[in-house]
């Protein structure tokens, strides 16, 4: 089940045939000889996928694994970096939203009261800001 077929043909840097990813494969095999080349090449050419695999199948620290992979892996494109950040942020935001939804469903009166008080406070602050921005006669 090789993932190399999933790499886009227009991006040769996302293939195990590229020099950078081949060096990653060799470095991983040198550091952890119990992991075969077939196991490594079954993974997508992605830093996070390789680090996750190595974290599961080695007893090494996360910092050591990342050091080996990042030393030889090609630099990520800006789009890959943004996608990684979005994935990291999406889970906590989703959990917070779910928690707010749960609290609003369990305590509707309290939730409505909080919304009302917050709206009043914002209205008062907006009115005060408007009145202070007007020149005095």
């Amino acid at each position: 089940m090789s993932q190399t077929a999933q790499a886009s043909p227009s991006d040769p840097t996302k293939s195990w045939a590229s020099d950078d990813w081949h060096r990653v494969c060799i470095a991983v095999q040198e550091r952890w000889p119990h992991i075969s080349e077939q196991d490594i090449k079954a993974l997508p050419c992605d830093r996070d996928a390789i680090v996750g695999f190595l974290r599961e199948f080695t007893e090494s620290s996360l910092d050591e694994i990342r050091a080996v992979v990042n030393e030889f892996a090609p630099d990520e494109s800006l789009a890959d970096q943004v996608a990684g950040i979005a994935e990291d942020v999406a889970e906590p935001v989703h959990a917070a939203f779910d928690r707010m939804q749960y609290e609003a469903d369990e305590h509707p009166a309290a939730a409505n009261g909080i919304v009302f008080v917050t709206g009043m406070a914002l209205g008062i602050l907006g009115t005060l800001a408007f009145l202070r921005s007007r020149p005095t006669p």
Side-chain angles (χ1 to χ4, degrees):
M1 178 177 105
S2 177
Q3 299 275 338
T4 56
Q6 292 181 355
S8 67
S10 63
D11 189 4
T13 62
K14 288 287 191 178
S15 164
W16 286 107
S18 74
D19 288 340
D20 292 330
W21 287 109
H22 184 70
R23 284 194 299 264
V24 170
C25 181
I26 292 171
V28 168
Q29 284 184 297
E30 286 177 2
R31 175 61 187 90
W32 298 283
H34 67 279
I35 297 176
S36 71
E37 182 176 355
Q38 293 168 339
D39 291 338
I40 298 167
K41 289 190 175 182
L43 299 169
C45 294
D46 177 57
R47 291 174 191 236
D48 294 334
I50 297 168
V51 168
F53 173 80
L54 293 174
R55 183 123 194 243
E56 186 174 340
F57 291 102
T58 65
E59 295 180 1
S60 301
S61 70
L62 183 59
D63 291 335
E64 180 182 2
I65 293 169
R66 284 187 177 157
V68 170
V69 173
N70 290 339
E71 182 177 353
F72 297 101
D75 292 333
E76 293 179 323
S77 68
L78 182 59
D80 292 339
Q81 292 174 359
V82 169
I85 292 170
E87 288 176 11
D88 293 343
V89 171
E91 187 175 330
V93 168
H94 185 69
F97 179 78
D98 286 346
R99 180 63 186 197
M100 288 187 321
Q101 186 67 41
Y102 170 78
E103 291 298 332
D105 291 344
E106 290 296 313
H107 310 287
N112 287 334
I114 291 171
V115 169
F116 177 77
V117 170
T118 303
M120 289 292 293
L122 288 175
I124 291 169
L125 288 174
T127 302
L128 289 175
F130 173 73
L131 293 175
R132 293 192 102 203
S133 68
R134 292 181 9 187
T136 55

